[in-house]
Amino acid sequence: MKDDIIYLVLLAACIGFGQFYRKFSDPEQKKLVGTAVGLLVVLSVSGFHMLHMLFCYLVSALLIIYASPRICHLACFGFMFGYLFFFRSLAFLGYDTPPGHTNMIQMILTLKLVGLAFEVNNAATKSKDVEEKRKKAANGDQPPVPTLHEVDRALLKLDMLDIFHYSFNYVGVLTGPYITFKTYRDAIYLPFSGKADCIGATVEKLKVIPLYAGLFLLVSYIWPLQYAMENEFYEERSFIYRLMYVWPTFFIFRMRIYTGILLSECVCTMAGVGAYPTVFVNKPGHGPSKEDYTALVDSESSLEYDFEAVRNIDVINTERCWTFREAMKYWNMCVQYWMAMYVYKRFPSKKYRTLVTLAVSAIWHGVYAGYYFCICGAPFYLPIEDLYVKLFIKDATGQRRMVLNVLCWISKFFAFSYLGIAFLLLTVDKIWYYYSSVYFIGYVLWIALYGVGVMIAKQRKANAKREERLLQEAMKKD
């Protein structure tokens, strides 16, 4: 609870500071103030462990600036994830374990610096394409081509100070959300933060936080996770009680995550970071979808603004959507954007993309076995869900569709909860002890369901072929 209190105090301070931060109109002042506050946050949480972040910044910045743009993203990826593994292994090497929130700062810094290297790689690729098209246009082979986007030109001219400001700006430095360099730069140089309703957007998010925090405290008091590690839980409680205990523990986890992520979003909204006109079709993590969005910067027309670029979670849709696959899309959306853009789409083998992406996500979360049991378990549940959705739900209508959707919803949260208990128990011995106490029923049930689903699918396919053959024979007789 001490770590949580420190976390809440720092986030509250950062939210309040946003009202002051937005008033800076000079970009250079805004950079300096934002970075100074960010360094103060990092120092207050990490102490001398802050040296880890400074070292990572230094090495990654050198790779981004001086390595070839064709390989800088791969070199930065290897270094940052390698150092992240080393950082979390310090206790095994006999050194002091960094504080918990220092780990979160290191996690976000990893995404930022690796993401920046990928942005530089993308900008270099675009620059090369534009130059080739320009040469063809000069020879009359093609119509004139547009010039390189301003942000891409900035990415190709980065210096050490630019990367330092981006790495340690107080917005998102503690727990995210992940913000691209483009979004950071727009918040510094474009006037959208002065036009958007930053206070209104922040208040809307703050309204629901007491509910999630209250539910977290209440359910934690009634069903504490620690109880699932005590002898009484295994020796005196029934099989049904132990199995159903995953539901409140995952509920507690969700309420805690909802509270933290929404507070992190409030830091962004109060600072005006991620504010864009809605006509730009903004997406979480990515920002504006339209390439020419800077053309509207000086527009005098009344525009509506949103903060979709820094929206990291959609609580309502996470809770009410029917399927596991759909719920994943609404959870930690800015990090998912990072994983999709820089791992999933970049991995050469389509067959293993999903598994590799989830493995990278598990590595990013930590070195504990529980992260791998949980996150890498998702690819084995998803085919089962997809199979039953295709067999029974896809073509269902009316009341039957509603009943099947509700059953799918229950299955979704059971899967999240059953896999999530491993995420919370962390170590192999605790995970194995719990799963063996419920006879691995989740995995057994999923294997059985998959087997039955495959047989039903094959039977339906055989029936369809038989009916088609009978129809063809009947047509021949006629």
Side-chain angles (χ1 to χ4, degrees), residues 208-260:
V208 296
I209 289 175
L211 172 63
Y212 301 141
L215 289 171
F216 164 73
L217 293 172
L218 176 63
V219 182
S220 296
Y221 178 77
I222 301 172
W223 292 288
L225 174 66
Q226 189 62 34
Y227 186 56
M229 305 177 192
E230 296 179 4
N231 291 332
E232 180 185 333
F233 179 79
Y234 295 98
E235 295 173 0
E236 300 183 16
R237 295 295 184 176
S238 67
F239 161 78
I240 296 297
Y241 184 91
R242 293 196 300 271
L243 179 62
M244 298 306 294
Y245 207 78
V246 299
W247 288 82
T249 54
F250 188 66
F251 180 85
I252 294 165
F253 177 73
R254 296 204 309 278
M255 295 306 110
R256 186 173 186 269
I257 293 297
Y258 293 164
T259 302

Side-chain angles (χ1 to χ4, degrees), residues 104-386:
M104 289 192 289
I105 295 171
Q106 185 70 27
M107 289 168 69
I108 295 300
L109 186 64
T110 298
L111 296 186
K112 276 187 170 183
L113 290 171
V114 176
L116 179 59
F118 273 96
E119 287 185 81
V120 169
N121 172 258
N122 289 336
T125 303
K126 288 180 185 177
S127 178
K128 185 178 179 181
D129 291 342
V130 167
E131 189 61 33
E132 289 177 356
K133 289 178 181 178
R134 187 176 292 131
K135 289 179 180 178
K136 290 181 180 180
N139 296 330
D141 298 333
Q142 286 186 351
V145 294
T147 58
L148 195 66
H149 195 281
E150 183 182 354
V151 174
D152 293 321
R153 290 199 298 270
L155 284 164
L156 295 175
K157 297 178 180 179
L158 286 174
D159 58 30
M160 299 292 286
L161 196 57
D162 291 329
I163 300 175
F164 188 77
H165 285 314
Y166 170 61
S167 300
F168 295 104
N169 185 277
Y170 86 96
V171 177
V173 73
L174 185 58
T175 55
Y178 166 70
I179 300 168
T180 64
F181 180 79
K182 178 183 72 173
T183 300
Y184 162 76
R185 190 175 185 277
D186 288 345
I188 296 293
Y189 289 100
L190 300 185
F192 297 142
S193 62
K195 299 178 180 180
D197 183 11
C198 299
I199 296 176
T202 304
V203 170
E204 282 300 310
K205 294 180 185 296
L206 289 174
K207 283 180 181 177
V208 296
I209 289 175
L211 172 63
Y212 301 141
L215 289 171
F216 164 73
L217 293 172
L218 176 63
V219 182
S220 296
Y221 178 77
I222 301 172
W223 292 288
L225 174 66
Q226 189 62 34
Y227 186 56
M229 305 177 192
E230 296 179 4
N231 291 332
E232 180 185 333
F233 179 79
Y234 295 98
E235 295 173 0
E236 300 183 16
R237 295 295 184 176
S238 67
F239 161 78
I240 296 297
Y241 184 91
R242 293 196 300 271
L243 179 62
M244 298 306 294
Y245 207 78
V246 299
W247 288 82
T249 54
F250 188 66
F251 180 85
I252 294 165
F253 177 73
R254 296 204 309 278
M255 295 306 110
R256 186 173 186 269
I257 293 297
Y258 293 164
T259 302
I261 288 181
L262 287 175
L263 283 171
S264 298
E265 287 184 27
C266 287
V267 176
C268 298
T269 56
M270 189 59 105
V273 175
Y276 291 104
T278 55
V279 295
F280 294 171
V281 193
N282 310 300
K283 296 180 180 178
H286 179 76
S289 298
K290 295 187 176 181
E291 289 289 332
D292 59 344
Y293 67 92
T294 52
L296 289 175
V297 169
D298 297 322
S299 175
E300 297 297 328
S301 60
S302 178
L303 296 174
E304 184 180 349
Y305 288 80
D306 64 40
F307 288 88
E308 284 296 309
V310 293
R311 190 183 189 192
N312 207 18
I313 198 162
D314 186 336
V315 175
I316 301 301
N317 281 320
T318 299
E319 292 292 321
R320 74 181 180 186
C321 70
W322 301 120
T323 65
F324 189 103
R325 183 177 291 280
E326 191 177 2
M328 288 176 63
K329 297 177 182 178
Y330 300 119
W331 184 280
N332 216 358
M333 292 187 284
C334 293
V335 173
Q336 285 205 54
Y337 165 80
W338 190 97
M339 293 290 171
M341 290 296 295
Y342 306 135
V343 182
Y344 183 84
K345 291 183 179 180
R346 292 281 190 142
F347 195 73
S349 173
K350 292 184 178 180
K351 184 178 180 181
Y352 298 106
R353 277 180 176 175
T354 300
L355 186 60
V356 169
T357 303
L358 291 170
V360 171
S361 178
I363 293 169
W364 179 72
H365 278 89
V367 296
Y368 287 107
Y371 300 137
Y372 299 87
F373 271 91
C374 176
I375 297 173
C376 294
F380 299 98
Y381 174 78
L382 288 171
I384 303 167
E385 181 183 76
D386 292 342

Side-chain angles (χ1 to χ4, degrees), residues 388-406:
Y388 277 84
V389 168
K390 183 179 179 180
L391 287 174
F392 298 104
I393 299 178
K394 184 180 178 182
D395 299 321
T397 57
Q399 188 175 1
R400 182 171 182 268
R401 176 65 175 260
M402 179 56 66
V403 171
L404 291 172
N405 276 336
V406 170

